[in-house]
Amino acid sequence: MMRSKLFVPAIRPELFEKATKSGADAVCFDLEDSVAPARKVEARDHLQSYLRERQSIDQPLLLVRTNPVTSADFEQDVDCAVWKSISAIVLPKVESAEDVRASADIIAKFERSRNLPAPLGILPTIESPRGLRFAAEIALSSPRVLGLQIGFADLLEPLGVAQSNVAARNQIRLTLRLAAAEAHLDCYDSAYANFKDISGYEDELRASRSLGFVGASCIHPSQIPIANRVFVATSEELVSAARILEAAAQAAQKGVAVTSIDGAMIDAPFIRRARKLLGKKDY
C-alpha cells in the first residue's frame, strides 16, 4: 500500500536522491507530462544512470511513469525503467485491457534481457471516459496490475466539468473503486495541483479515503505528511476493529455468525474490514 507517492520529473536528477529521503511511501520518476518532448532522451539518460546504480529494492518503493503505451516513446521509456530497483511502471492514459497486456509484453522483453528475478507491477492510470468505462476489464487484465489510479485533470477537462466539482470527483472515485473491487485491488487518488492549498488537499484525501481509496499522488514534499496521516488508521478505528474481531471470535465459538456491539450489528463485511485494518488473516 502506498499512502503517498511523490512525483519527481526525470529531467531533474538533482532531486532523485532527495526524493527518496522525503518520507513518501513511494517515489515516481516521471518521463511523461513533466518532461518536454525535446528533452525525453536527456531525461531517460539521467534516470537510467540513477536506476542502474541503485541495485536494492527498499523503502521507499521506486516507480517510473512512462509515456502511454501507444506513444513512440514507450519502448524506450521501458528500456530506461526496467531495473532491479524498480517495483512498478505507472502506465498513463490506459483505455483498455489490451493497453495493459501490450505494455506487459514489452516490459517482459526487457525483464528477460536483464534477468530480473520478479516481474514488475503495473499501475494503470484512468484518465478518460473510455478508460473509466473499461476500468473493471483493465483491473482484471493482468496479474501485474497492482491497483487503479485516477487522473482527474485529463479526465475532466474535455468534459467541461470543473476540476473543483466535488460531486463529479466523488462519483468518479466510487466508479473506479467498484471496478477495482472486482479484481480485489486498491485505488489511488489523483494529484492535487495547488500544493499551497493544504486544507483543500486534506479535504480531497479524506473524501477519497471515505470511498475506499488507500493513497494519493503528491507533487510537492509538503503534501507527503498529509497523505501519510490521512491514509493511516486512527487509534479509534484500530480499537473499534479489535473490538469487532473479539466479538466475532466469541460469536464463532458459540456457532453464531452475526453479533452486535453497542447496539450495532456485526456481520461478515464488518469482520472483513476489521481484519484488513489490523492486517489479520483470521480472528
Side-chain angles (χ1 to χ4, degrees):
M1 190 166 69
M2 297 174 288
R3 298 168 301 169
S4 54
K5 178 167 68 320
L6 178 63
F7 274 95
V8 180
I11 199 66
R12 299 285 304 277
E14 72 277 11
L15 299 179
F16 291 176
E17 197 61 24
K18 185 177 180 180
T20 67
K21 297 176 172 61
S22 64
D25 289 342
V27 172
C28 182
F29 302 106
D30 184 30
L31 289 165
E32 194 208 10
D33 287 347
S34 65
V35 181
R39 302 191 72 185
K40 299 284 189 188
V41 172
E42 180 187 352
R44 283 193 288 263
D45 288 344
H46 288 314
L47 184 56
Q48 190 167 46
S49 295
Y50 177 76
L51 297 178
R52 187 187 289 118
E53 294 174 4
R54 189 183 177 101
Q55 289 300 308
S56 62
I57 299 178
D58 49 19
Q59 291 293 341
L61 298 174
L62 300 186
L63 319 173
V64 174
R65 179 166 75 169
T66 64
N67 287 277
V69 66
T70 54
S71 73
D73 288 295
F74 181 72
E75 189 156 350
Q76 296 173 77
D77 290 348
V78 174
D79 184 17
C80 159
V82 176
W83 295 96
K84 182 190 273 188
S85 55
I86 290 295
S87 295
I89 298 296
V90 176
L91 191 63
K93 299 174 176 61
V94 178
E95 295 198 316
S96 68
E98 182 52 40
D99 284 348
V100 176
R101 288 192 286 265
S103 68
D105 288 344
I106 294 171
I107 292 168
K109 179 177 74 172
F110 288 101
E111 288 171 338
R112 288 191 297 270
S113 71
R114 289 170 189 159
N115 296 313
L116 293 192
L120 271 67
I122 295 175
L123 181 59
T125 307
I126 307 302
E127 303 180 76
S128 70
R130 178 179 172 83
L132 190 61
R133 181 157 57 96
F134 289 108
E137 288 91 337
I138 290 166
L140 291 162
S141 62
S142 168
R144 291 178 184 264
V145 176
L146 302 177
L148 295 179
Q149 178 172 271
I150 195 69
F152 280 120
D154 285 279
L155 177 54
L156 294 179
E157 188 276 328
L159 304 179
V161 176
Q163 296 289 327
S164 59
N165 189 317
V166 175
R169 293 168 80 94
N170 283 340
Q171 181 175 338
I172 290 167
R173 287 185 180 111
L174 182 56
T175 300
L176 194 72
R177 185 70 196 96
L178 290 170
E182 290 194 40
H184 306 287
L185 296 175
D186 288 324
C187 279
Y188 298 91
D189 209 347
S190 184
Y192 190 78
N194 186 358
F195 59 83
K196 292 185 178 181
D197 181 12
I198 300 300
S199 62
Y201 183 58
E202 183 160 350
D203 288 344
E204 280 285 289
L205 299 192
R206 293 200 179 281
S208 66
R209 185 174 187 264
S210 74
L211 291 168
F213 281 56
V214 300
S217 298
C218 304
I219 61 167
H220 190 274
S222 64
Q223 294 178 326
I224 294 168
I226 302 169
N228 286 348
R229 181 176 71 250
V230 169
F231 289 108
V232 71
T234 64
S235 58
E236 291 83 2
E237 288 172 328
L238 294 174
V239 168
S240 176
R243 291 186 68 204
I244 288 171
L245 293 191
E246 177 60 29
Q250 292 177 7
Q253 290 176 355
K254 301 174 183 177
V256 178
V258 179
T259 185
S260 65
I261 295 178
D262 300 332
M265 184 186 74
I266 302 299
D267 61 0
F270 293 91
I271 296 167
R272 286 195 298 269
R273 186 178 186 280
R275 283 179 184 152
K276 184 175 181 180
L277 201 62
L278 294 173
K280 291 181 178 292
K281 295 182 180 179
D282 51 33
Y283 290 32

